[in-house]
Amino acid sequence: CQELLESLGMDPLAGDLPFLQHFNAWRAAPPNPTANSVNSNSNNNKPLGTVRKLCLSSHLARTASILLDTTSTIRLYQDSLFHKRAGDGWTPWHSDARMAPFDTSNMITFWIPLQTVPSPGKKGGTGLHFVDGSHADIALPYWNGGEGDEYDRLENRYEGGGGGVSHHMPLEVGDVTVHNGWTLHCADAAKEDGGEDRYAFAITYVDGRAELREDVLPSSETKMDSVRGQTNDATTNGSTPNTKGDKEDVWSFRSWVEEVKPRTEFRHPSVPIVWPPEQRDDVE
């Protein structure tokens, strides 16, 4: 991982990144493991098997359906393991849906701490901060783009309007926070002096009817430059001239997105339908 980051011009040890992120561990686990299977790596697969079972869980998928208030099917979009190292900087305000390839408002993420997360300001207190109500604020990104001065005064923007910046720390192992795909959120820096690495696991679901946008990937001749961020400057707001949104999730969806026709309902084993039970894809 470190060698790959260095090949892309980033120094993972110099504070160039606010965290390390590993996508889609659930896909690495073998489906339908059996007690009688002969596998020299069977012990190594047990944790991944647990991840696979959790991501494909009918309980989580049904909960996503209820919270999104939709009668549509629910699709597993991705899982993400976040490693925020002691000394890593703060994670800026962002929304997950801006990084995804779908044209939808119906996306939801379950953020699961893998260790105790103390209150902000204390050792290891790097849980998420949320801007309540921001998922319904169409004016903010429409008039101000994805970043800028308005994002430095969010408390003023939402004060007295039923919103504002909030958090749910401290968090214990077994707790989970849930946020809409368009909800603005961030995370504090991890203290280097006496701090500790923080690990968290996120699972994101999306409306099964959500269609892919046509501009998900740039043209083939500029694709790798886009992924490497070589065209990421102030004029493109983190995107390329022929794509919209941020490119962070390209590493998650690039393996399957070109196999799906934009603006159509689709099925693909890399992003399976997991709810309701009678319409689940057979990926287990």
Side-chain angles (χ1 to χ4, degrees):
C1 181
Q2 181 170 331
E3 291 178 356
L4 176 59
L5 289 170
E6 291 173 347
S7 73
L8 299 178
M10 293 178 267
D11 185 349
L13 302 179
D16 291 347
L17 301 172
F19 54 81
L20 298 179
Q21 182 175 5
H22 178 82
F23 288 114
N24 298 312
W26 79 269
R27 296 181 195 162
N32 296 319
T34 63
N36 295 325
S37 62
V38 178
N39 188 335
S40 60
N41 295 318
S42 59
N43 289 333
N44 294 331
N45 284 330
K46 287 181 179 179
L48 291 178
T50 301
V51 168
R52 184 183 184 91
K53 183 177 181 180
L54 179 64
C55 292
L56 298 175
S57 163
S58 293
H59 176 70
L60 282 185
R62 178 175 180 271
T63 302
S65 176
I66 293 171
L67 293 176
L68 289 173
D69 192 22
T70 179
T71 58
S72 174
T73 55
I74 296 296
R75 182 187 306 278
L76 170 62
Y77 168 42
Q78 66 181 22
D79 70 57
S80 303
L81 175 65
F82 293 96
H83 177 193
K84 197 172 187 69
R85 301 158 298 174
D88 280 347
W90 83 298
T91 304
W93 291 111
H94 67 282
S95 57
D96 299 337
R98 184 177 171 84
M99 305 173 188
F102 305 100
D103 181 0
T104 185
S105 296
N106 291 334
M107 178 179 290
I108 196 166
T109 294
F110 294 76
W111 192 88
I112 307 166
L114 300 182
Q115 64 207 78
T116 300
V117 179
S119 297
K122 296 185 178 181
K123 180 180 177 181
T126 56
L128 301 183
H129 296 263
F130 305 94
V131 182
D132 299 328
S134 57
H135 67 290
D137 187 357
I138 300 173
L140 178 64
Y142 186 86
W143 295 119
N144 301 280
E147 56 187 30
D149 294 342
E150 192 63 17
Y151 290 83
D152 295 329
R153 53 186 301 276
L154 294 173
E155 289 277 17
N156 303 78
R157 183 179 183 89
Y158 296 99
E159 184 178 10
V165 179
S166 67
H167 67 81
H168 301 283
M169 294 173 272
L171 295 168
E172 301 293 336
V173 173
D175 289 339
V176 59
T177 62
V178 189
H179 59 272
N180 183 279
W182 288 106
T183 297
L184 285 170
H185 55 287
C186 72
D188 292 329
K191 292 183 178 181
E192 185 172 12
D193 184 16
E196 60 181 25
D197 290 11
R198 183 264 280 159
Y199 294 88
F201 189 71
I203 309 173
T204 301
Y205 299 93
V206 65
D207 188 327
R209 295 175 301 184
E211 299 175 353
L212 293 184
R213 307 188 319 272
E214 301 91 338
D215 62 350
V216 170
L217 290 177
S219 57
S220 57
E221 62 269 20
T222 61
K223 189 176 301 180
M224 283 313 299
D225 283 350
S226 170
V227 172
R228 293 176 182 177
Q230 294 176 3
T231 57
N232 185 1
D233 57 34
T235 63
T236 60
N237 224 7
S239 60
T240 64
N242 45 349
T243 63
K244 293 181 180 178
D246 296 327
K247 301 186 297 295
E248 181 178 313
D249 281 8
V250 168
W251 297 98
S252 171
F253 60 70
R254 64 177 182 162
S255 65
W256 62 266
V257 73
E258 290 185 298
E259 300 173 5
V260 175
K261 184 178 179 180
R263 303 298 176 184
T264 61
E265 290 193 29
F266 69 95
R267 298 271 182 151
H268 195 285
S270 292
V271 280
I273 298 297
V274 290
W275 186 263
E278 62 273 16
Q279 297 189 51
R280 283 176 66 94
D281 286 332
D282 185 15
V283 292
E284 296 180 283

